[in-house]
């Protein structure tokens, strides 16, 4: 009987050997945790479709920010949930609006110990739930929306944010935001461009988290899930307009896109493991169908392996602890 001369299994024999030869590692510093803060809350509130994720009060947000820093995560992405909304989303620009107040709270609490990021979009603040201002006919007005984004960016920068994340998929949004920041003296504020954001069915739990009032859908500005070349065009435009980092959203259904973007640009690439991705795993684990912690880390590793240097995930704080134990 002949035996194999080459035995790849030797490199899998023990946990120590597997750690030694591991090709892809996720570091806690590469994880960003999204956090929601709701105006008027005195206690944090659970989100039914996102088990373990909360709508925070201002006080609980500050505590959660400290816990994230202690866990070693690389950043916190803030989303505001206002008590009142209007057609123009004025609460996103108001210095005393919940998101800008939350930015000040978190920066005052953690300083530069982690990267404080903010979602730069109107959808949480508009009564119609769209990411921009509407024409009299009900269509999203790209250029009028850009003016609002510019004001919103300056308001967030004035509140002390380190990085803004324009996410509305308006044409020209990165360039307008960059110019507005620079003109207001905020040249050091970084722009994380949601360069590739698909009109995905995976956003459902997020819409509960922000109490979305969306009427209709966002297919006229978010991308068609069938398209890859279009994504690369969007990325190239955002980099040319001054994006410091670019992001793909969602992550797992679009790993081929993450890989293609990584190959196309020389700026850092992020991916957002969105609410539906998280909720599916949590639901399957709750039914005993999968090993929750192993699947959690496997999904994060797959996103990193595809080319994302930074991963936004609702598991960021928990995963950071598991990764420290693993490595």
């Amino acid at each position: 009987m002949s035996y194999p001369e080459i035995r790849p299994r030797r490199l899998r024999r023990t946990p120590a050997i597997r750690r030694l030869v591991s090709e892809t590692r996720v570091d806690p510093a590469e994880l960003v945790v999204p956090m929601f803060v709701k105006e008027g809350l005195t206690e944090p509130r659970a989100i039914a479709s996102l088990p373990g994720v909360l709508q925070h009060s201002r006080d609980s947000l500050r505590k959660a920010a400290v816990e994230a820093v202690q866990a070693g995560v690389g950043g916190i992405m803030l989303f505001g949930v206002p008590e009142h909304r209007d057609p123009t989303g004025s609460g996103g620009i108001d210095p005393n609006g919940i998101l800008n107040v939350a930015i000040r709270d978190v920066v005052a609490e953690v300083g530069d110990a982690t990267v404080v990021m903010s979602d730069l979009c109107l959808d949480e603040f508009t009564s119609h739930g769209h990411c921009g201002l509407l024409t009299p006919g009900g269509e999203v007005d790209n250029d009028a929306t850009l003016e609002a984004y510019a004001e919103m960016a300056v308001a967030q920068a004035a509140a002390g944010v380190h990085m803004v994340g324009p996410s509305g998929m308006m044409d020209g949004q990165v360039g307008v935001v960059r110019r507005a920041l620079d003109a207001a003296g905020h040249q050091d504020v970084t722009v994380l461009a949601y360069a590739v954001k698909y009109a995905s069915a995976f956003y459902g739990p997020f819409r509960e988290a922000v109490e979305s009032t969306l009427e209709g859908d966002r297919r006229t500005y978010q991308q068609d899930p069938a398209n890859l070349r279009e994504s690369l065009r969007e990325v190239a435009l955002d980099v040319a307009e001054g994006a410091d980092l670019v992001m793909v959203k969602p992550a797992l259904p679009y790993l081929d896109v993450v890989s293609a973007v990584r190959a196309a640009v020389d700026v850092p690439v992020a991916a957002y493991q969105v609410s539906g991705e998280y909720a599916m795993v949590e639901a399957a684990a709750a039914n005993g169908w999968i090993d929750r912690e192993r699947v959690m880390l496997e999904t994060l590793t797959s996103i990193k392996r595809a080319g994302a240097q930074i991963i936004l995930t609702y598991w960021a704080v928990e995963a950071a602890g598991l990764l420290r134990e693993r490595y």
Side-chain angles (χ1 to χ4, degrees):
M1 183 180 295
S2 62
Y3 294 95
E5 295 181 0
I6 300 174
R7 296 179 182 267
R9 284 183 56 191
R10 293 189 189 111
L11 297 181
R12 306 171 196 148
R13 190 169 60 86
T14 69
I17 291 174
R18 292 194 295 272
R19 285 195 300 270
L20 182 67
V21 301
S22 179
E23 297 176 19
T24 303
R25 295 186 182 181
V26 180
D27 190 281
E30 298 170 326
L31 302 179
V32 174
V33 57
M35 291 187 182
F36 305 98
V37 57
K38 173 157 173 73
E39 188 173 17
L41 284 187
T42 57
E43 298 290 338
R45 178 185 295 169
I47 302 166
S49 57
L50 284 172
V53 181
L54 302 170
Q55 283 183 332
H56 283 287
S57 67
R58 289 178 61 186
D59 284 342
S60 70
L61 177 68
R62 287 191 288 263
K63 294 174 184 176
V66 171
E67 291 172 0
V69 168
Q70 292 172 340
V73 303
I76 300 168
M77 175 63 80
L78 296 173
F79 296 88
V81 185
E83 284 189 298
H84 305 288
R85 308 177 190 209
D86 59 38
T88 63
S90 62
I93 297 168
D94 183 353
N96 295 314
I98 184 58
L99 181 53
N100 293 321
V101 168
I103 292 169
R104 291 197 293 272
D105 286 345
V106 173
V107 171
E109 194 71 35
V110 303
D112 293 333
T114 193
V115 181
V116 180
M117 310 175 182
S118 53
D119 182 55
L120 202 169
C121 194
L122 293 175
D123 59 321
E124 289 106 66
F125 299 95
T126 55
S127 52
H128 47 74
H130 276 287
C131 297
L133 307 181
L134 301 185
T135 66
E139 297 179 354
V140 175
D141 187 327
N142 191 95
D143 295 1
T145 300
L146 293 182
E147 295 179 18
Y149 284 2
E151 292 184 63
M152 196 171 184
V154 172
Q156 292 179 357
V161 80
H162 304 138
M163 183 179 294
V164 295
S167 63
M169 292 301 291
M170 297 296 116
D171 293 340
Q173 64 184 13
V174 171
V176 164
V177 165
R178 181 73 272 162
R179 289 191 294 273
L181 290 170
D182 291 351
H186 299 296
Q187 295 90 342
D188 292 336
V189 173
T190 308
V191 177
L192 166 61
Y194 284 62
V196 181
K197 185 176 181 181
Y198 285 98
S200 172
F202 283 87
Y203 302 144
F206 176 90
R207 291 177 182 168
E208 180 190 350
V210 298
E211 302 177 9
S212 174
T213 56
L214 179 65
E215 302 167 4
D217 60 52
R218 299 184 171 123
R219 295 180 186 180
T220 64
Y221 45 103
Q222 294 178 354
Q223 290 175 241
D224 184 342
N227 294 352
L228 170 59
R229 290 190 299 274
E230 181 184 31
S231 297
L232 298 180
R233 185 185 186 203
E234 290 277 7
V235 167
L237 287 168
D238 282 355
V239 172
E241 290 176 19
D244 299 291
L245 311 87
V246 294
M247 185 155 67
V248 177
K249 180 181 180 181
L252 287 176
Y254 300 94
L255 293 181
D256 60 324
V257 180
V258 174
S259 181
V261 170
R262 173 67 284 166
V265 299
D266 57 5
V267 298
V269 175
Y272 196 146
Q273 186 178 52
V274 301
S275 60
E277 300 173 57
Y278 172 94
M280 287 193 304
V281 173
E282 290 290 342
N287 279 282
W289 298 335
I290 59 172
D291 183 322
R292 178 179 174 275
E293 290 184 357
R294 287 186 62 191
V295 171
M296 177 197 309
L297 295 182
E298 188 174 338
T299 62
L300 296 174
T301 300
S302 73
I303 298 167
K304 175 73 179 291
R305 190 183 62 245
Q309 179 180 338
I310 300 158
I311 304 172
L312 278 72
T313 174
Y314 299 96
W315 284 311
V317 174
E318 182 181 359
L322 294 173
L323 290 166
R324 284 197 303 272
E325 294 173 6
R326 184 172 180 178
Y327 295 119

